[in-house]
Amino acid sequence: FFFLLSLGSGGYESVRVEGEDVMVVRLRLARFGRYKFPFYRIYAADHRAPRDGKHLEILGHYDPIPQKDGNKHVGLHIERIKYWLSVGAQPSKPVARILSKAGILPTLPERQHANQGVSKKALKDLE
């Protein structure tokens, strides 16, 4: 087999195997709910499909609004998620963060801002 990887628009990989297209599958979120009360489904889809468009399989759900118990609720079909990851599906950043908190993926490094922990006075002195 001959594989040609090229970075297309949006940073997604296009994979071509001897003239035939291979689908790049992404694990990502689709927004449901209503105004100011979002609810997300985690699903597997072709990387070219729109956010709320056609999907291959629903893999779970995520409710970002804390409930009465103070927790954000997540439901995952772990076996199916592991299957999609094993066949090469790429999780989006929010899904990767959810899966790392669930223990399916290794923990992601914490995001830090360049000037975090530096006072404004010290920044002014550096200029």
Side-chain angles (χ1 to χ4, degrees), residues 1-4 15-22:
F1 286 96
F2 173 70
F3 289 90
L4 174 66
V15 182
R16 192 172 286 278
V17 181
E18 293 184 6
E20 94 183 47
D21 281 331
V22 176

Side-chain angles (χ1 to χ4, degrees), residues 20-114:
E20 94 183 47
D21 281 331
V22 176
M23 186 185 321
V24 178
V25 176
R26 302 275 294 177
L27 304 182
R28 58 186 187 196
L29 299 173
R31 190 181 195 277
F32 290 89
R34 61 188 177 103
Y35 179 69
K36 292 192 177 183
F37 293 97
F39 179 83
Y40 297 93
R41 283 190 185 150
I42 300 167
Y43 67 100
D46 180 16
H47 76 278
R48 295 169 291 194
R51 180 193 73 178
D52 296 334
K54 186 177 177 183
H55 59 271
L56 301 171
E57 182 178 2
I58 296 175
L59 303 172
H61 66 273
Y62 169 60
D63 189 358
I65 299 174
Q67 302 299 317
K68 290 182 181 179
D69 59 359
N71 295 320
K72 298 176 181 179
H73 289 227
V74 177
L76 301 172
H77 299 288
I78 295 173
E79 293 300 320
R80 295 303 297 165
I81 291 172
K82 287 182 179 179
Y83 164 76
W84 282 109
L85 292 172
S86 71
V87 296
Q90 297 293 315
S92 65
K93 287 182 182 179
V95 172
R97 190 178 68 247
I98 291 169
L99 295 180
S100 67
K101 287 184 180 181
I104 297 172
L105 290 179
T107 57
L108 300 173
E110 291 291 324
R111 296 183 299 179
Q112 288 189 340
H113 298 286

